[in-house]
Amino acid sequence: MRANVIPALLLIPLGLITAAGDRDFSGTWALDQQHSKPGGLPVAPGPLLKVSRQGNVMHCAESGVSWSFRTDGTESKYQVRDSTMSTEAKWEGPALLINTLVEGPRQYVVEDRWEMSSDGKRLTITRTIRGGATEAQAALIYQNQELLEALRKPALPAPTVTAPPAEFVVAAGTKIPLSLVNSLDTKYAAEGDRVYLETAFPVVQDGRILIPKGSYVAGTVTEVKRAGRIKGKAELFVRFDSLTLPNGVTRYFRARLDNAGENDVDRQEGKIRGESNKGGDARTVAEAAGAGASVGAIAGGIAGHGAMGAGIGAIGGAAAGLVGVLVSRGPDLILPRGTTIEMVLDRELHYAATEVAPH
């Protein structure tokens, strides 16, 4: 079910189409978990929804996902992860009715009814998701965070206290050191194999640990190349897919490889290269030539032609050593458990204050 259905609050944009000046859902909305009834929604809603409006364009952000769409009454089409959303909305008195067709890994329809209280403090969403023979219903209650905070302000002046941010952002380009949990070897690895790692150092912002040490990172081997028989190094292509905090909060992303211990890394392609074996190949030929010369000298000495036997033996030994080099591969790339690997985020990671560890 999780692979086929978009998380519930990613469907939020279905209800944010407004009639001109009649309703404006702009603001930061906090989910009232005590009074909400998520019902059969496949994924729990996120704690915060941010909405802003610019003319006929609405901008939204929730749980690290951002999207924009028009609100001029025409059909709105937009992309949410791997699904295409087609939305039509109309007003029924004070309520906004939204009908949305979702096309992607699974096709289904979402029907929303949005109502905002007259004081603008509360937003109620009644949602029905229909797909095939299945149906899920939920009632979600949101509180306007800005209005609630304004009501809590004391009547008398009070010392200025900096409130913690409602959302923390780990910037794109942040480097995160990791420790490999399972070993990797180009001799045995195959495309599609999973890679498991742990963060080796915490990521801290404003005195708050956003990503603790020991958080889990999952990746995928996208390509494996073994070393050639004459030239070429072993290569391993790795992609990072998700990061899970110790409390279970997970973010999916694509991050690239930046470092892999002492190994050579192509940062653009996410590729780790192994070592060549040119020195080993030359040593193999030399050792074989030396052994052949010794055998030839002994045989030549018996026949009375020691020097000639040594020369012939050296040539034969070198040839045998060269054949051995040609039929053997170069060294495989081996990354043992505990290898330090560094990844670089290619996009921001957003965390609500309730999703990260307290001070």
Side-chain angles (χ1 to χ4, degrees):
M1 177 67 87
R2 293 179 61 187
N4 294 326
V5 180
I6 294 176
L9 278 201
L10 296 185
L11 301 174
I12 288 297
L14 313 180
L16 298 180
I17 301 175
T18 64
D22 198 20
R23 287 286 188 272
D24 187 357
F25 296 109
S26 296
T28 300
W29 298 93
L31 180 66
D32 186 343
Q33 298 184 4
Q34 182 179 358
H35 296 95
S36 294
K37 297 178 181 179
L41 293 181
V43 178
L48 290 176
L49 169 66
K50 291 187 176 181
V51 182
S52 62
R53 183 181 176 184
Q54 187 176 6
N56 288 324
V57 179
M58 193 75 71
H59 305 282
C60 307
E62 188 269 329
S63 293
V65 178
S66 300
W67 62 91
S68 300
F69 55 92
R70 297 188 63 80
T71 62
D72 54 7
T74 59
E75 182 184 36
S76 298
K77 283 197 173 185
Y78 47 93
Q79 194 75 17
V80 176
R81 289 184 175 164
D82 56 355
S83 295
T84 300
M85 324 290 280
S86 302
T87 298
E88 292 183 359
K90 65 178 181 178
W91 287 95
E92 186 180 83
L96 182 62
L97 306 181
I98 310 100
N99 186 291
T100 295
L101 173 64
V102 181
E103 295 181 299
R106 181 187 172 205
Q107 182 169 310
Y108 53 97
V109 174
V110 180
E111 298 175 355
D112 269 9
R113 180 184 179 90
W114 287 68
E115 292 183 280
M116 188 164 57
S117 61
S118 58
D119 57 8
K121 297 178 183 179
R122 186 176 66 257
L123 175 64
T124 302
I125 304 171
T126 304
R127 174 167 298 148
T128 302
I129 301 177
R130 293 190 174 92
T134 63
E135 179 177 303
Q137 294 183 335
L140 306 177
I141 309 298
Y142 290 86
Q143 301 291 341
N144 189 304
Q145 193 172 45
E146 287 90 346
L147 292 178
L148 292 176
E149 291 178 353
L151 292 175
R152 296 191 189 105
K153 290 182 179 179
L156 298 175
T160 302
V161 177
T162 303
E167 185 179 68
F168 293 89
V169 179
V170 182
T174 299
K175 295 183 178 181
I176 302 178
L178 308 172
S179 179
L180 195 61
V181 173
N182 60 315
S183 61
L184 292 173
D185 188 336
T186 53
K187 185 176 182 180
Y188 305 107
E191 180 179 343
D193 284 356
R194 299 295 286 164
V195 182
Y196 301 101
L197 312 99
E198 292 182 348
T199 54
F201 196 82
V203 176
V204 181
Q205 179 181 311
D206 298 329
R208 182 77 67 94
I209 296 178
L210 304 187
I211 303 176
K213 177 181 178 181
S215 297
Y216 311 107
V217 174
T220 303
V221 174
T222 58
E223 188 177 346
V224 179
K225 291 183 179 180
R226 298 192 65 189
R229 299 187 184 279
I230 299 177
K231 64 178 182 178
K233 302 177 181 180
E235 296 179 349
L236 192 66
F237 294 72
V238 177
R239 180 191 70 214
F240 301 104
D241 302 319
S242 66
L243 186 149
T244 302
L245 304 183
N247 61 7
V249 173
T250 299
R251 292 291 181 268
Y252 296 93
F253 56 84
R254 290 290 184 266
R256 55 188 171 86
L257 188 70
D258 188 70
N259 204 320
E262 298 180 356
N263 297 284
D264 183 22
V265 171
D266 186 329
R267 293 177 172 84
Q268 296 298 319
E269 298 184 9
K271 175 173 60 179
I272 310 172
R273 298 189 185 94
E275 298 179 352
S276 65
N277 198 32
K278 292 182 178 180
D281 292 345
R283 185 168 58 254
T284 298
V285 174
E287 291 174 352
S294 299
V295 174
I298 294 173
I302 296 174
H305 302 285
M308 181 181 296
I312 295 173
I315 295 173
L322 181 58
V323 171
V325 168
L326 292 177
V327 300
S328 62
R329 291 183 179 273
D332 284 293
L333 171 62
I334 301 175
L335 300 178
R337 174 187 173 92
T339 299
T340 299
I341 293 177
E342 196 171 62
M343 73 172 179
V344 179
L345 298 178
D346 64 350
R347 67 189 67 180
E348 296 178 344
L349 294 182
H350 293 251
Y351 291 98
T354 57
E355 294 180 311
V356 299
H359 289 281

